[in-house]
Amino acid sequence: MRKKQGWLVCASFLGFLASVQSIRRDELFPFGPSARDQLLEAGNDQTHQLELSQPVLFYDGTFDSIFINSNGFVATAEPTSEATYLGKMPAKFGMIAALQGDLDTNDGVGKVYFREDSSPDVLRRAAEHINRAFPEDDEVDPTHAVVITWADVATHEPHTRGDGAPKKVSKRNTFQLVLASLETASYAIVLYARDGIQFTSTPAGDTNAVMHAGFSKGLVRGFLLSRQGPYYRTTTDEEETVRALAEETNSGQRGVWVYEIGTSPYFTNVAPGEVTDLPTEAPAQASGGHEDADARRPVYTDGQVEYPPYQVEAEPIEVHPVQYQPHQPENPEVVVVDDTDINVDGESQLQAQYYDEVVCATSMDTASTVAERPQIECNFAYLLAVPGIFSLLLFLLLRPGIYLMLLFSMFSVFSYNLGTCANNRNKCSQFADCRDYSSGYCCHCRPGFYGNGIQCVAEGKPQRMNGKVHGKVFVGNSPSPVEFSSNDLHSYVVVNDGRSYVAISDIPYTVGPSLQPLTALGGVIGWAFALEQPGFRNGFSIIGGEFTRQAEVTFVPGNEKLTIRQEFKGIDEHDHLAVSTTLEGRVPEVPPGSTVQIDPYSEIYQYSNNLITSSSTRDYVVSLPDGSTDTRTYQWRQTITFQSCQHGEAMRDIKPTQMLSVDQVFAMYDANNELIRFAMSNKIGDVNGEDLELPVENPCFTGRHGCDTNAVCRPGEGTQFTCQCAAGFNGDGRTCYDIDECRENPQICGPNAICNNQPGTFRCECEDGYQFGGDGQTCVEVNRPVDPCEEGTHTCDIPERAQCSYTGGSSYICSCLPGFIGDGRVCEDIDECQPGRCHQDAVCINTQGSFTCQCRPGYYGDGFSCSSERTKTQCETHRDSLLGVTEFGPRGPRPPVGQYIPTCDENGAYNPMQCHDSTGHCWCVDRNGQEIPGTRSGPGSRPMCIENGGVPPPVGPRPRPDVDALPPGTHLLFAQSGRIEHVPLEGYDMKKDGAKAVLHLPKVIIGVAYDCVEKMVYWTEITSPSISRANIQGGDPTAVIKSDLGSPEGIAIDHLGRTMFWTDSVKDRIEVASLDGSQRRVIVDTDLVNPRAIITDPANGNLYWADWNRDAPKIETSYMDGSNRRVLVKDDLGLPNGLTYDSQSSLLCWADAGTHKMECMNPGRGDRSKVLEGIQYPFGITSFGKNIYYTDWRRDAVVAVDRYAGRESDEFQPQKRTKLYGIATAYSQCPSGNKPLVRV
């Protein structure tokens, strides 16, 4: 903004005079036909889209068009029906409400005028209003304006009397909105003329609703789903506040209101004008004292902004540690404490006297203060030498009911961190330094990281939390509880703006709506990673990620109680905070279909060594399905126990009290997916609120900075700041990229170790046969028994005839392979050519370990079925069908003149070159007889045609380009975020230089499968859950399943039965459908927790799948209709992510990300053998010939394993280094097999 020195004295004087009375109608900005305004079409709920020559800034958005509505507002998107917002504010779309209600211009009197205007006079008047409203700011000169005037508009109601004559309208409103903009800011100037507000409410359904003025951002797209954005309301539900619009001001002139509604590049809040005083009326107010203009500003929240009454500025708040339900002393379960003598900011006289003798409460009586309770001396004086023990003992005075739980935590302090760094350094985080003190050692996070030293995470890096929920919850008066058994809990925090998201799955409808008020289920992660205000620290930076949190919730007036206990187990190998949650108790019922709104709240946390406590009372509003609302309350108290290091100064530097401020609270139960979601913004700061002396908050402390989610916001002077990528990331701070430490420094983990890159960090793991030594960093060899099978020192027969199975120690078992007989050390071939093995017209030929059947000369078939008549091929059928309609001449049948007849070779296949006998033209054809474009030659010449076995497939229609045609041969198809790629196979080797993406989609693709018959690739995606397909030779992607999906992951194709099978890890079921999506049905829907991998054995009619349930992983099988279900493997499994079945060897193989093994078994025999150990994090797996191929999340690669040699043979890393998901083999020819045993 351009700065000018001094607001003209004459302008101030004119403004002084103008403020005496409200503006008149003729003092509005010019409007009507004489101002060349456009006229909105007459009617009710009419809208016109106005394209702008210069954009309007609203909140943090930029808009090139606006929508003008007859109901007294301007929208930033096309408004929904008036039924969705009248009486139901805030709206779901962006709204600038000058005076919104149900208005009508049908009578020809009321009109709505509008125009863009950049004339000097209009811009000058707009600048006068803005600069008068913000006298302390730099002057602004708008460059563009939009003027909208609602003139003489009436309320919408039937305008007829009983006799049919028009009903007389006696009250009309007139008001005006001017949107004035410059390059970096936009302002709203709202003018209400004297006598311009004659009615203050309009119909809304069966009732009347008070008209609204204010600003609503509308729905904001969030991490999990959309939420209601900020709503700045300048009027309340009282009609007096609407009438006051023409009598009061925030710009120094009655009836004129000015707001800064959008700024660029950063936006904090809607800012109202600062001049609420009316100078000409000053003498009348002199006796009342001066009021700060800030006290009259609307209070900004994310849910609703109320206009507060005038009041004297409050003193810093007094902290009351515990203060529950003061208005209901008759409730015996509610403790009321008014501990005014306790000064939490320092040691009080009360605390000083307790250092001489400790006073304990003998019982919990009805006394309201500690001083009134019976007291006895306790001989614990020696404990008082421990820092913070006074706070702990005082807490026990107030809460002896949880004494036993805290006693253990209290005394565990004395055994923590004994010793020195020399023999304990490995107990610190890899991102921490160990420091010795006179009484022990402590761990301290290095610069760029935060935590308690035992656990450190990078500053600015988003944090995830995963865990399970257990317990029993009663709802309302129900005698039966709802049980929680390993329900998934997932949370995500954008640390650099304090926004946290929580989702809990598998919540039945009987309890889901009633859990909506309990944002506390995930609120602790908001505290742990809250946005820190200057001088204050969030939970994780103080106590790390290992602690116990117990919360007690008491609902009033029903006195229902719920206990929430959470065990936080630290950061796991995936850099996720692990937590176990238990719920026990009763909650009041919230009817199905109801929504819950939770207002912003603050909660004071009190800190001492190894104990943190907090308490609060929270209100929430339940909006019932019938449109009514019910305001309810619950009381909340929690304790957090942990172990801190006693030897350093870390805990002594922590402020004894901090306040957690929570706003933008969102809670929703998704009945369709049985999910409950919470979201909230969290800040940790001073108990007295923000420093009112700071004129403008630094964006680093508000979260409105625009830094990358993997960056730290570094505050500077005033509003200056810089963005710095978090440790482990590179970039300018606005955009940050992960550093692959493993690639940049291959030796970073040392010898005999494997480096695993992770976002922002890396982890070292020892190779197979090694483990970490005493220092926690060096990999030393493990003394373990030698596996004779692996080393080749066994005495079994050769691998072609026998199998060696290791049984532990130095023992092993030898067994002959199928087709051989013996003791395993000597195996002889079995002659399978017994009578009846082959067809009676076939010859049986014995082979090593097997046999073949061949039809005798003159017969045709596969040996198991032989016939004297050979089935016609496609070419022969084509040829004979044309000859069948030919004419008969003197020398036999001959085709009509001009008819093309195909020629077939001795095997019945199309000759690669076909010619037209009449025209002399010749051309090349593929194996299906289709002409290959560009090969046709004229009479007298012949094209060079390749044998059909080597003819490339035709190039089909090429879409946008979503699909690139796949060249001939066998390929590997694998999924990455947003695309499917392929790697050609040459033999069993990956031709890496031929790899490329064949399918581009802006979605998260998980599972991949291939139909070898129609050359179609099928995939599952979870962004907008669906199952789709595309022809790999060219064609448009098409969704075949789009509804009733939760999280489809694994997918498999039965190429014989023409069906597809898939797993759904949210619905916990397995389904089958025809390949076009029809005939869909569920075949397994019980005893599944996390089903993912699925594979078919079409020839034998079997289905296999894996469930990676962490508590009980398993691999199962059934027939293809879901019958004959049984568990194949359940022992020694961790995370069996991938499955593959090789029909040639009849082996089912899997890759396990938990045990880091690849194993195989014959499902019919139940034998199990290890292929490879030490794999890192496999996801998908497929097989072809001797090789198994799998995708690895840690290596971002496709890895080839020679299953006979038991070692990795190759690796391919795509150019795009992101996680690889499903993988499948695209065969050049379908595997042989009979018709399926089961069809859909």
Side-chain angles (χ1 to χ4, degrees):
M1 301 180 184
R2 183 169 55 87
K3 185 170 183 177
K4 297 179 180 177
Q5 299 296 328
W7 175 240
L8 295 176
V9 175
C10 62
S12 299
F13 180 72
L14 291 173
F16 179 93
L17 295 177
S19 66
V20 177
Q21 293 181 328
S22 300
I23 60 171
R24 302 186 306 275
R25 182 176 177 127
D26 60 359
E27 292 177 312
L28 299 176
F29 284 67
F31 67 91
S34 61
R36 299 184 178 181
D37 275 342
Q38 298 183 60
L39 181 63
L40 186 65
E41 183 179 350
N44 172 249
D45 197 17
Q46 295 294 321
T47 300
H48 176 83
Q49 182 176 1
L50 178 64
E51 299 292 339
L52 303 177
S53 59
Q54 182 175 326
V56 167
L57 306 178
F58 186 54
Y59 284 92
D60 54 0
T62 302
F63 300 92
D64 295 315
S65 66
I66 57 176
F67 295 81
I68 299 165
N69 190 275
S70 59
N71 281 340
F73 66 88
V74 168
T76 57
E78 187 169 3
T80 55
S81 166
E82 66 180 14
T84 64
Y85 59 81
L86 288 177
K88 302 175 183 177
M89 290 293 289
K92 298 186 183 303
F93 52 89
M95 175 187 287
I96 302 170
L99 192 56
Q100 178 254 85
D102 193 5
L103 306 178
D104 201 343
T105 60
N106 265 317
D107 59 3
V109 179
K111 299 183 185 300
V112 181
Y113 298 102
F114 60 94
R115 72 179 183 278
E116 282 192 282
D117 199 332
S118 299
S119 64
D121 181 61
V122 166
L123 297 180
R124 176 187 57 78
R125 292 183 60 179
E128 289 175 359
H129 287 302
I130 296 169
N131 294 323
R132 184 177 60 248
F134 298 98
E136 301 298 324
D137 292 356
D138 296 340
E139 291 183 354
V140 300
D141 287 325
T143 58
H144 175 264
V146 182
V147 182
I148 309 103
T149 309
W150 290 264
D152 300 314
V153 293
T155 182
H156 179 234
E157 57 186 2
H159 296 301
T160 60
R161 304 195 307 243
D163 57 2
K167 181 179 179 180
K168 183 178 180 180
V169 177
S170 59
K171 295 183 178 181
R172 297 181 181 276
N173 286 352
T174 296
F175 49 94
Q176 189 175 67
L177 170 65
V178 179
L179 300 177
S181 301
L182 52 159
E183 184 177 357
T184 57
S186 288
Y187 296 81
I189 306 167
V190 196
L191 304 95
Y192 304 95
R194 186 190 314 165
D195 299 325
I197 300 179
Q198 299 179 3
F199 60 90
T200 57
S201 63
T202 62
D206 297 329
T207 62
N208 272 16
V210 177
M211 302 181 75
H212 279 247
F215 309 91
S216 174
K217 186 176 181 180
L219 291 181
V220 177
R221 191 173 186 84
F223 172 70
L224 296 176
L225 68 170
S226 297
R227 59 180 174 84
Q228 185 65 48
Y231 176 33
Y232 187 107
R233 185 174 177 183
T234 59
T235 59
T236 71
D237 287 330
E238 300 297 327
E239 296 189 24
E240 290 77 11
T241 62
V242 179
R243 285 190 284 269
L245 293 173
E247 302 298 328
E248 297 179 4
T249 183
N250 68 5
S251 70
Q253 182 175 5
R254 286 187 191 274
V256 179
W257 301 77
V258 179
Y259 303 88
E260 185 183 62
I261 60 172
T263 55
S264 176
Y266 308 111
F267 178 79
T268 304
N269 292 337
V270 170
E274 300 170 352
V275 183
T276 59
D277 294 325
L278 299 172
T280 56
E281 299 178 4
Q285 300 177 356
S287 62
H290 176 69
E291 286 185 321
D292 194 309
D294 288 343
R296 189 61 180 143
R297 294 188 185 183
V299 180
Y300 185 92
T301 70
D302 204 29
Q304 178 171 310
V305 176
E306 300 294 345
Y307 204 93
Y310 286 104
Q311 58 185 358
V312 180
E313 181 174 334
E315 294 294 325
I317 65 171
E318 183 88 9
V319 177
H320 298 282
V322 187
Q323 193 171 26
Y324 297 129
Q325 204 172 358
H327 303 299
Q328 297 195 16
E330 69 278 2
N331 185 348
E333 294 297 321
V334 178
V335 180
V336 182
V337 178
D338 185 12
D339 215 350
T340 56
D341 292 332
I342 300 176
N343 177 7
V344 295
D345 292 324
E347 291 186 355
S348 65
Q349 293 180 354
L350 177 64
Q351 182 170 349
Q353 94 178 33
Y354 269 67
Y355 274 90
D356 294 327
E357 65 172 357
V358 180
V359 182
C360 302
T362 58
S363 64
M364 290 295 290
D365 52 28
T366 57
S368 61
T369 66
V370 174
E372 296 173 358
R373 298 183 180 179
Q375 300 173 350
I376 62 171
E377 290 188 3
C378 302
N379 190 21
F380 292 160
Y382 70 95
L383 289 178
L384 299 178
V386 180
I389 197 66
F390 169 76
S391 299
L392 177 59
L393 293 175
L394 179 61
F395 183 80
L396 293 177
L397 285 174
L398 305 179
R399 292 288 175 270
I402 58 171
Y403 173 80
L404 290 178
M405 184 189 78
L406 298 181
L407 193 61
F408 174 79
S409 297
M410 180 177 72
F411 284 100
S412 66
V413 173
F414 305 108
S415 61
Y416 183 78
N417 283 35
L418 300 177
T420 64
C421 292
N423 55 0
N424 290 283
R425 192 178 306 274
N426 63 326
K427 294 182 180 179
C428 298
S429 166
Q430 61 176 318
F431 306 115
D433 295 317
C434 186
R435 191 178 305 166
D436 283 317
Y437 296 90
S438 59
S439 57
Y441 72 94
C442 287
C443 303
H444 301 277
C445 296
R446 297 170 187 155
F449 297 85
Y450 66 102
N452 66 343
I454 303 295
Q455 303 212 323
C456 303
V457 297
E459 292 179 349
K461 181 182 174 183
Q463 184 61 49
R464 295 182 184 273
M465 179 176 78
N466 291 330
K468 299 289 185 179
V469 179
H470 301 267
K472 298 178 181 180
V473 176
F474 294 84
V475 179
N477 297 320
S478 173
S480 302
V482 176
E483 296 194 15
F484 294 82
S485 178
S486 295
N487 296 59
D488 287 322
L489 183 152
H490 300 285
S491 181
Y492 179 82
V493 184
V494 182
V495 176
N496 62 18
D497 68 9
R499 187 75 176 162
S500 62
Y501 307 87
V502 179
I504 306 176
S505 62
D506 299 322
I507 305 294
Y509 72 93
T510 53
V511 70
S514 302
L515 294 182
Q516 291 179 97
L518 294 175
T519 55
L521 284 172
V524 67
I525 196 173
W527 163 78
F529 298 98
L531 184 63
E532 297 172 332
Q533 302 304 291
F536 296 87
R537 296 168 62 186
N538 60 30
F540 191 90
S541 66
I542 298 173
I543 68 174
E546 296 184 17
F547 56 91
T548 299
R549 180 249 202 157
Q550 179 152 323
E552 296 179 8
V553 186
T554 303
F555 296 86
V556 292
N559 201 33
E560 298 93 346
K561 289 182 178 296
L562 181 72
T563 299
I564 304 171
R565 181 177 176 85
Q566 292 181 300
E567 295 284 345
F568 287 83
K569 304 172 183 178
I571 303 295
D572 65 13
E573 68 272 17
H574 309 295
D575 277 340
H576 296 173
L577 182 59
V579 60
S580 174
T581 302
T582 303
L583 306 177
E584 297 289 345
R586 186 179 298 273
V587 297
E589 182 180 12
V590 173
S594 302
T595 59
V596 171
Q597 178 181 340
I598 302 170
D599 290 334
Y601 61 88
S602 298
E603 189 172 348
I604 296 172
Y605 282 71
Q606 299 171 79
Y607 298 78
S608 63
N609 281 10
N610 304 305
L611 177 69
I612 300 172
T613 63
S614 72
S615 60
S616 65
T617 299
R618 300 181 190 172
D619 295 331
Y620 59 98
V621 179
V622 179
S623 298
L624 301 169
D626 61 5
S628 62
T629 60
D630 182 15
T631 300
R632 303 180 182 180
T633 302
Y634 65 78
Q635 297 166 349
W636 161 264
R637 62 184 180 185
Q638 72 171 343
T639 60
I640 297 172
T641 56
F642 61 98
Q643 287 189 345
S644 63
C645 186
Q646 303 299 306
H647 312 298
E649 302 293 328
M651 288 303 297
R652 299 175 192 175
D653 296 336
I654 302 302
K655 297 181 185 297
T657 59
Q658 297 188 119
M659 184 167 72
L660 178 70
S661 299
V662 181
D663 61 9
Q664 302 183 53
V665 185
F666 172 85
M668 189 199 78
Y669 175 64
D670 182 350
N672 291 331
N673 294 310
E674 294 190 328
L675 287 171
I676 190 162
R677 294 185 170 98
F678 303 104
M680 61 204 77
S681 293
N682 310 271
K683 294 181 184 178
I684 195 78
D686 192 351
V687 296
N688 293 316
E690 299 173 358
D691 190 347
L692 300 179
E693 296 181 0
L694 293 176
V696 181
E697 285 188 287
N698 190 288
C700 289
F701 306 134
T702 65
R704 299 177 180 272
H705 42 67
C707 298
D708 189 273
T709 55
N710 291 301
V712 184
C713 182
R714 303 289 188 193
E717 294 293 331
T719 60
Q720 300 297 310
F721 68 93
T722 57
C723 298
Q724 176 183 337
C725 291
F729 293 87
N730 271 336
D732 61 3
R734 299 285 181 178
T735 304
C736 299
Y737 305 92
D738 177 49
I739 299 172
D740 188 342
E741 294 88 352
C742 301
R743 174 170 288 185
E744 292 190 358
N745 185 3
Q747 307 304 318
I748 194 170
C749 287
N752 305 311
I754 299 171
C755 180
N756 296 324
N757 185 58
Q758 296 178 346
T761 184
F762 67 95
R763 290 186 182 273
C764 299
E765 295 181 1
C766 293
E767 294 176 347
D768 186 32
Y770 293 83
Q771 64 184 14
F772 284 117
D775 61 0
Q777 297 177 351
T778 305
C779 293
V780 296
E781 190 170 5
V782 178
N783 293 323
R784 62 172 187 170
V786 175
D787 179 354
C789 297
E790 186 175 307
E791 297 296 325
T793 58
H794 59 83
T795 58
C796 301
D797 205 338
I798 61 174
E800 288 77 13
R801 292 195 291 263
Q803 175 177 308
C804 178
S805 301
Y806 179 58
T807 58
S810 58
S811 303
Y812 58 92
I813 296 174
C814 299
S815 56
C816 295
L817 293 176
F820 297 88
I821 190 171
D823 61 2
R825 287 174 169 76
V826 177
C827 299
E828 297 179 353
D829 177 54
I830 299 173
D831 185 355
E832 292 92 349
C833 287
Q834 303 299 321
R837 280 297 180 95
C838 302
H839 191 269
Q840 59 184 5
D841 294 317
V843 176
C844 180
I845 302 173
N846 185 55
T847 61
Q848 284 289 306
S850 185
F851 69 100
T852 60
C853 297
Q854 293 182 358
C855 294
R856 300 179 188 277
Y859 292 86
Y860 306 91
D862 60 3
F864 295 97
S865 176
C866 300
S867 172
S868 59
E869 296 183 1
R870 180 164 61 86
T871 303
K872 291 183 179 180
T873 64
Q874 180 182 355
C875 179
E876 293 169 337
T877 302
H878 184 191
R879 179 194 62 195
D880 294 346
S881 66
L882 295 174
L883 290 174
V885 298
T886 56
E887 300 175 352
F888 284 83
R891 297 182 181 178
R894 55 182 301 176
V897 177
Q899 177 69 57
Y900 156 67
I901 301 296
T903 58
C904 310
D905 64 16
E906 65 276 9
N907 296 317
Y910 285 98
N911 282 318
M913 183 180 69
Q914 298 286 322
C915 295
H916 197 297
D917 291 338
S918 299
T919 65
H921 291 90
C922 295
W923 60 91
C924 299
V925 297
D926 62 15
R927 68 188 64 191
N928 296 317
Q930 299 297 312
E931 180 178 351
I932 299 175
T935 62
R936 184 175 286 263
S937 65
S941 63
R942 295 288 186 270
M944 296 292 293
C945 297
I946 307 172
E947 290 294 327
N948 284 333
V951 174
V955 179
R958 296 283 296 275
R960 285 167 298 277
D962 289 340
V963 177
D964 289 326
L966 202 64
T970 298
H971 303 258
L972 299 177
L973 298 172
F974 62 89
Q976 273 188 302
S977 179
R979 59 184 178 181
I980 294 176
E981 297 196 31
H982 87 96
V983 184
L985 294 179
E986 187 172 34
Y988 302 119
D989 298 329
M990 294 184 286
K991 295 175 60 178
K992 303 174 188 178
D993 55 353
K996 67 174 182 177
V998 294
L999 181 70
H1000 301 267
L1001 288 169
K1003 301 175 183 295
V1004 179
I1005 301 171
I1006 302 297
V1008 179
Y1010 183 69
D1011 175 26
C1012 58
V1013 177
E1014 296 181 336
K1015 311 298 182 186
M1016 302 282 281
V1017 60
Y1018 289 74
W1019 66 91
T1020 62
E1021 64 98 354
I1022 59 173
T1023 311
S1024 51
S1026 63
I1027 299 174
S1028 304
R1029 66 180 180 180
N1031 191 305
I1032 212 64
Q1033 294 178 349
D1036 289 305
T1038 304
V1040 291
I1041 302 287
K1042 296 184 291 185
S1043 62
D1044 195 24
L1045 293 172
S1047 181
E1049 296 186 10
I1051 185 170
I1053 301 297
D1054 173 9
H1055 70 280
L1056 297 177
R1058 314 307 296 146
T1059 55
M1060 60 179 171
F1061 299 81
W1062 69 90
T1063 60
D1064 193 316
S1065 65
V1066 170
K1067 301 288 187 180
D1068 290 338
R1069 65 193 188 194
I1070 298 173
E1071 296 187 67
V1072 63
S1074 297
L1075 293 181
D1076 61 0
S1078 63
Q1079 302 184 60
R1080 175 182 177 182
R1081 62 189 177 93
V1082 177
I1083 59 172
V1084 179
D1085 61 356
T1086 59
D1087 197 23
L1088 292 176
V1089 178
N1090 295 116
R1092 176 174 289 158
I1094 189 168
I1095 199 73
T1096 61
D1097 172 13
N1100 296 307
N1102 291 325
L1103 190 66
Y1104 304 97
W1105 67 88
D1107 186 332
W1108 59 270
N1109 173 16
R1110 291 181 183 270
D1111 295 331
K1114 59 186 175 181
I1115 298 173
E1116 295 186 272
T1117 184
S1118 73
Y1119 294 153
M1120 288 190 171
D1121 61 356
S1123 63
N1124 194 30
R1125 178 183 178 184
R1126 57 200 185 278
V1127 176
L1128 288 177
V1129 185
K1130 64 178 181 179
D1131 298 324
D1132 193 24
L1133 291 177
L1135 293 173
N1137 275 336
L1139 280 180
T1140 184
Y1141 181 79
D1142 177 33
S1143 59
Q1144 298 299 317
S1145 63
S1146 299
L1147 287 180
L1148 176 71
C1149 301
W1150 63 91
D1152 194 312
T1155 63
H1156 306 289
K1157 295 179 183 178
M1158 182 179 293
E1159 298 181 81
C1160 292
M1161 72 177 299
N1162 186 308
R1165 296 200 303 262
D1167 54 345
R1168 179 175 175 181
S1169 61
K1170 179 188 66 180
V1171 176
L1172 188 65
E1173 285 187 311
I1175 58 179
Q1176 297 186 30
Y1177 205 102
F1179 187 88
I1181 182 174
T1182 189
S1183 57
F1184 180 65
K1186 67 171 186 175
N1187 277 1
I1188 295 175
Y1189 306 88
Y1190 71 93
T1191 58
D1192 193 295
W1193 273 16
R1194 296 279 173 79
R1195 298 160 69 172
D1196 294 334
V1198 177
V1199 184
V1201 175
D1202 187 326
R1203 64 178 176 182
Y1204 297 130
R1207 60 178 177 82
E1208 293 183 0
S1209 58
D1210 201 1
E1211 176 186 84
F1212 168 67
Q1213 288 184 323
Q1215 185 175 6
K1216 181 180 179 182
R1217 296 297 302 277
T1218 60
K1219 284 186 173 66
L1220 278 60
Y1221 292 89
I1223 185 170
T1225 304
Y1227 296 98
S1228 58
Q1229 294 182 343
C1230 288
S1232 60
N1234 298 319
K1235 292 182 179 180
L1237 299 179
V1238 179
R1239 292 180 181 247
V1240 178

